[in-house]
Amino acid sequence: MSQPRRWTKYFDHPDIQSARELIQKEYSDKLEFVESTHKYFLDGVELECVSNVVKKWSSTDEEAMLNNVLRKAQRSGPEYKYYGMTREEIKAQWEETSKKACDFGTECHAFGESLFYYLSGQTDEKPVPKNAHEEAIEKFWNDLPECYVPVLAETRVFNKEGFPYAGTFDLLFYYVNEVDPSKNGFIIFDYKTNGSLRSEASRNWNNYMFSPFDDLIEENLSHYTLQLGLYQIPLEKLGLKVVARRLIWVKPDGTYEKVIVPDETKRLSRALNSL
């Protein structure tokens, strides 16, 4: 790796280079990822992806939601957006909306990955943001202090103990604290482009996830909390010290919000053994 455009003071920190090589050797190099189907394979055996593992504790009943919308569509007037639509038409619209959001999120993630490679000195091609969400990602990078050192981007990891799974985290940083080195450690970051992380409906109706996470509201924020925990578990099994998890919620006005995510790895480890 050539010299980075920033972080020159800490970029060659021994903990960072050894961790980078270890993660790639023990996880990324061993996993096969089929992008067209978004499936992971280890030694020819398919592993469940992280998002599907999280769904096992989700209390969202899509069929019940569809039935409720269908009933409302049948008795509402033309002002209701699903008025006069059949079950198949409503479901198709949801799937199309979900696909567009997924495709857009993928583009934003690709921009963030390109920015990582440019700023870390691995390419001379500087990516140019195409929309406000990508401008927010660029602002996040520009705001980073030097003590947050980039380690890896878009990196695959897996876990074989308990319920086996695999996933790809967006960013891994190493935090350097010169005043108190005992606080040094890795931070997992994940970009999110959702319109909202919190669900007012779930909060108003006290809709929670399934046990053992039945104290977590059924919403994106809870799902992502578990998602980052599932990334953390494989890193800690390599002996790496993960000190924090952050969502980078990028918004259509070109701003971003860093959202602190609590550590749920202990509960996740127990829950994985019960699946």
Side-chain angles (χ1 to χ4, degrees):
M1 182 178 293
S2 61
Q3 281 299 308
R5 289 172 169 80
R6 293 173 61 191
W7 309 285
T8 53
K9 185 176 181 180
Y10 302 113
F11 203 74
D12 292 327
H13 192 292
D15 288 351
I16 296 173
Q17 185 57 32
S18 61
R20 185 181 290 121
E21 295 172 354
L22 185 62
I23 294 168
Q24 292 173 323
K25 175 185 176 182
E26 295 299 323
Y27 291 135
S28 303
D29 293 347
K30 295 180 180 180
L31 267 178
E32 177 191 359
F33 178 64
V34 181
E35 189 169 357
S36 60
T37 57
H38 199 81
K39 291 184 176 181
Y40 295 87
F41 295 87
L42 178 64
D43 298 327
V45 178
E46 184 179 353
L47 299 182
E48 194 77 88
C49 70
V50 162
S51 59
N52 285 343
V53 175
V54 172
K55 286 179 182 178
K56 295 180 182 299
W57 300 298
S58 172
S59 61
T60 298
D61 188 333
E62 293 185 358
E63 280 302 310
M65 291 172 58
L66 185 59
N67 288 336
N68 288 336
V69 170
L70 184 61
R71 284 194 292 270
K72 187 173 181 180
Q74 291 171 339
R75 65 175 183 262
S76 297
E79 69 281 356
Y80 185 53
K81 65 178 180 179
Y82 298 115
Y83 174 74
M85 294 177 66
T86 65
R87 170 186 292 270
E88 290 72 24
E89 290 170 336
I90 295 171
K91 192 171 184 179
Q93 187 176 109
W94 286 1
E95 290 174 352
E96 178 64 21
T97 300
S98 177
K99 182 180 183 303
K100 287 181 179 179
C102 183
D103 290 345
F104 180 74
T106 299
E107 291 178 7
C108 290
H109 279 71
F111 172 80
E113 183 179 8
S114 297
L115 200 55
F116 166 88
Y117 289 125
Y118 172 74
L119 292 173
S120 60
Q122 298 179 67
T123 179
D124 291 327
E125 186 175 348
K126 183 179 180 180
V128 178
K130 303 184 297 296
N131 52 58
H133 286 81
E134 292 181 359
E135 290 174 1
I137 292 174
E138 186 174 55
K139 180 172 174 52
F140 157 72
W141 279 94
N142 290 336
D143 291 344
L144 278 171
E146 191 178 13
C147 61
Y148 283 76
V149 189
V151 181
L152 289 168
E154 293 294 326
T155 303
R156 296 186 291 273
V157 294
F158 62 85
N159 175 52
K160 294 193 296 183
E161 297 179 18
F163 188 87
Y165 65 85
T168 304
F169 60 72
D170 291 342
L171 287 169
L172 186 67
F173 284 85
Y174 188 78
Y175 170 66
V176 181
N177 188 315
E178 286 191 340
V179 177
D180 184 359
S182 68
K183 295 182 179 179
N184 289 3
F186 295 90
I187 303 178
I188 304 169
F189 283 80
D190 228 46
Y191 299 119
K192 298 302 176 187
T193 57
N194 307 66
S196 177
L197 297 181
R198 299 165 178 83
S199 169
E200 292 304 318
S202 288
R203 289 168 179 257
N204 290 337
W205 290 95
N206 293 320
N207 185 19
Y208 291 89
M209 298 186 70
F210 289 140
S211 177
F213 304 106
D214 46 357
D215 59 329
L216 300 182
I217 293 288
E218 178 60 54
E219 60 185 3
N220 289 327
L221 182 57
S222 297
H223 290 195
Y224 297 149
T225 295
L226 299 184
Q227 180 184 5
L228 266 64
L230 290 170
Y231 296 146
Q232 179 174 337
I233 289 172
L235 297 180
E236 291 186 329
K237 287 184 176 177
L238 294 180
L240 303 179
K241 178 185 175 185
V242 177
V243 295
R245 299 138 302 279
R246 299 285 187 269
L247 299 178
I248 305 304
W249 182 24
V250 294
K251 304 179 183 182
D253 63 356
T255 64
Y256 71 91
E257 180 181 338
K258 277 194 289 188
V259 182
I260 297 173
V261 174
D263 186 356
E264 289 287 355
T265 51
K266 289 183 180 179
R267 281 206 294 178
L268 275 166
S269 294
R270 293 194 295 268
L272 288 169
N273 288 325
S274 300
L275 289 178

